[in-house]
């Protein structure tokens, strides 16, 4: 995606970007600059005023180009990260109900491992019945929201493990955290 459609960029920069700039107080800053400029312009000769207007036009063109380029790069970077991290929706195919069931299985396999072997995890997953059951638990890792993938593999595994093993947290609450589902309200 080397070139974004100018129409898309114009629509997005005039909608989403404008909203963000508004939140950041862009208009207030612009009003401050305009106020200073009005005072400054009063004492200018016609020649200086024409020169100032040219400079002002170039600054506005620069700011517009800067904004458009920054937006394009942000979109390109976002797409690149998505492609690199495989954030294409494949990792979030599990429903909330599916994830809850998987977490119940995860909890049961951990308890079986503790009772039968004295430890929670079986690292050699191909060697035992419990190891085979533990493979089911990998679904929780693979089915977690693709947002975790943006953290990098090690950090994502740590966060997912933390959520899966979070004490005192119901399977439903952990499933919502893994799927990055937040309550609205």
């Amino acid at each position: 995606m080397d070139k974004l459609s100018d129409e898309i960029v114009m629509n997005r920069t005039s909608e989403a970007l404008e909203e963000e700039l508004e939140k950041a107080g862009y208009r207030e800053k612009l009003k401050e600059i305009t106020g200073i400029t009005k005072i400054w312009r009063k004492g200018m000769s016609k020649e200086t005023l024409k020169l100032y207007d040219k400079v002002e036009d170039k600054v506005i063109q620069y700011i517009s180009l800067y904004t458009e380029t920054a937006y394009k790069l942000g979109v390109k970077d976002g797409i690149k990260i998505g492609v690199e991290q495989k954030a294409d929706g494949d990792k979030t195919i599990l429903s909330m109900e599916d994830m809850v069931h998987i977490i119940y299985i995860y909890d049961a396999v951990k308890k079986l491992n503790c009772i039968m072997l004295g430890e929670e995890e079986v690292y050699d997953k191909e060697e035992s019945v419990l190891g085979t059951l533990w493979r089911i638990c990998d679904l929780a890792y693979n089915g977690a929201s693709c947002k975790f993938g943006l953290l990098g593999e090690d950090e994502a595994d740590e966060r997912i493990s933390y959520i899966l093993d979070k004490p005192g947290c119901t399977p439903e609450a952990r499933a919502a955290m893994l799927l990055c589902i937040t309550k609205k309200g």
Side-chain angles (χ1 to χ4, degrees), residues 29-167:
K29 296 292 181 197
L30 199 55
K31 285 178 184 176
E32 287 177 27
I33 292 169
T34 304
I36 293 168
T37 305
K38 282 181 183 178
I39 295 167
W40 190 22
R41 292 173 69 111
K42 284 183 182 180
M44 289 184 187
S45 67
K46 287 184 181 182
E47 289 175 12
T48 307
L49 196 54
K50 283 181 184 180
L51 186 58
Y52 177 82
D53 286 342
K54 283 183 182 180
V55 170
E56 190 176 45
D57 286 343
K58 293 297 180 189
V59 168
I60 290 170
Q61 287 173 9
Y62 167 77
I63 292 170
S64 296
L65 179 63
Y66 181 92
T67 302
E68 184 177 322
T69 303
Y71 176 76
K72 285 179 182 179
L73 285 174
V75 171
K76 285 181 188 176
D77 288 347
I79 291 170
K80 184 178 178 188
I81 287 169
V83 169
E84 287 174 355
Q85 299 293 334
K86 296 174 184 66
D88 56 5
D90 290 345
K91 288 190 167 193
T92 56
I93 60 171
L94 295 176
S95 69
M96 176 69 169
E97 186 178 350
D98 293 337
M99 185 61 85
V100 169
H101 291 310
I102 290 168
I103 291 175
Y104 275 109
I105 293 168
Y106 176 89
D107 292 344
V109 171
K110 276 179 56 178
K111 286 177 187 173
L112 274 173
N113 281 333
C114 276
I115 291 168
M116 308 274 303
L117 304 172
E119 58 184 294
E120 289 183 348
E121 295 182 33
V122 176
Y123 293 100
D124 194 359
K125 295 178 182 184
E126 285 118 29
E127 295 299 319
S128 67
V129 173
L130 291 175
T132 302
L133 282 173
W134 197 257
R135 287 171 168 239
I136 294 170
C137 299
D138 287 341
L139 290 172
Y141 285 86
N142 297 334
S145 171
C146 61
K147 291 178 182 178
F148 289 101
L150 299 175
L151 300 171
E153 191 173 336
D154 292 340
E155 181 70 18
D157 283 346
E158 272 184 46
R159 295 258 179 112
I160 293 169
S161 292
Y162 172 77
I163 291 168
L164 284 170
D165 297 329
K166 192 169 183 173

Side-chain angles (χ1 to χ4, degrees), residues 163-182:
I163 291 168
L164 284 170
D165 297 329
K166 192 169 183 173
C169 199
T170 67
E172 291 80 5
R174 289 182 283 159
M177 285 184 248
L178 288 173
L179 296 174
C180 296
I181 297 171
T182 57

